[in-house]
Amino acid sequence: MRHQSRETAFKIIYQLDIGKNDLETALQHTMEEDGLNRRERAFCQELVMAVEDKLSEIDQIIERNTTGWHVGRMMSVDRNLLRLAVYEMLFSAHISPKGAINEAVDMAKVYGKQESASFVNSILDKVLKQEERRDDLVTEAAAEAAEEPALLQEEPKVVTREISEKEAEQLLLDSTQII
């Protein structure tokens, strides 16, 4: 299921950004912790590596589409959701740009502050209107993740209540602990 791969990729990108773990440790531990299957792992790793590879360009795109904000001053949750979504919107064709925005906004509601969802949505809306797609690449891992039979997919984790910023931070930190 690509949603779970995307959420795990966000957690890994977040860990790398705050200096919690190195790339290999973050990939191995977080994908294992989140219970990703082979296809989901391949897609997740691909997302992480692509965002890391294009990080400078992605950050420039984000800054061009904000007023009075520098990427380094943004909340780390918001910054890393934006990075993942901008990559998917402009460099990959495995999800529609609006689908990437929806995924980022949904994760912002879970992991960010109360205003994170609207902050992320407004910036990504500007990116959608102002930036041109750089690539229409659908990779093998993305295509394979999409082909997974529905019977093998796990039910998505659903948050049935609003959680505090502290609880969201704890969720992120718990997923980054090395056992």
Side-chain angles (χ1 to χ4, degrees), residues 4 50 70 72 74 99 124 130 149:
Q4 182 61 49
H70 295 287
M74 294 176 183
L124 294 177
Q130 301 296 322

Side-chain angles (χ1 to χ4, degrees), residues 28-46:
Q28 180 182 357
H29 174 72
T30 309
M31 289 190 297
E32 184 177 305
E33 174 96 7
D34 286 0
L36 301 186
N37 65 35
R38 182 190 60 78
R39 289 178 175 179
E40 292 167 333
R41 283 175 179 254
F43 182 54
C44 175
Q45 184 169 348
E46 182 178 281

Side-chain angles (χ1 to χ4, degrees), residues 19-145:
K20 176 93 173 146
N21 285 319
D22 62 90
L23 179 61
E24 280 304 311
T25 303
L27 281 168
Q28 180 182 357
H29 174 72
T30 309
M31 289 190 297
E32 184 177 305
E33 174 96 7
D34 286 0
L36 301 186
N37 65 35
R38 182 190 60 78
R39 289 178 175 179
E40 292 167 333
R41 283 175 179 254
F43 182 54
C44 175
Q45 184 169 348
E46 182 178 281
L47 287 173
V48 171
M49 301 303 286
V51 169
E52 286 296 303
D53 183 52
K54 297 191 177 298
L55 190 59
S56 177
E57 187 175 356
I58 291 169
D59 284 354
Q60 290 172 9
I61 291 166
I62 293 168
E63 286 197 6
R64 271 199 309 266
N65 289 281
T66 60
T67 305
W69 281 97
H70 295 287
V71 172
R73 289 186 44 236
M74 294 176 183
M75 251 185 57
S76 58
V77 167
D78 298 348
R79 173 176 56 240
N80 291 297
L81 286 171
L82 288 167
R83 287 172 170 165
L84 179 59
V86 167
Y87 167 74
E88 290 191 294
M89 290 170 66
L90 301 180
F91 297 98
S92 178
H94 64 264
I95 187 171
S96 71
K98 289 185 180 186
I101 293 171
N102 289 338
E103 288 278 341
V105 169
D106 287 346
M107 284 190 281
K109 290 175 183 175
V110 173
Y111 294 105
K113 288 185 173 184
Q114 186 173 0
E115 62 275 2
S116 291
S118 60
F119 178 74
V120 166
N121 188 53
S122 67
I123 293 171
L124 294 177
D125 186 55
K126 288 179 187 174
V127 169
L128 180 64
K129 292 174 183 171
Q130 301 296 322
E131 302 290 332
E132 290 185 33
R133 191 171 201 101
R134 271 78 166 164
D135 217 341
D136 276 340
L137 179 66
V138 176
T139 63
E140 185 177 331
E144 202 173 278

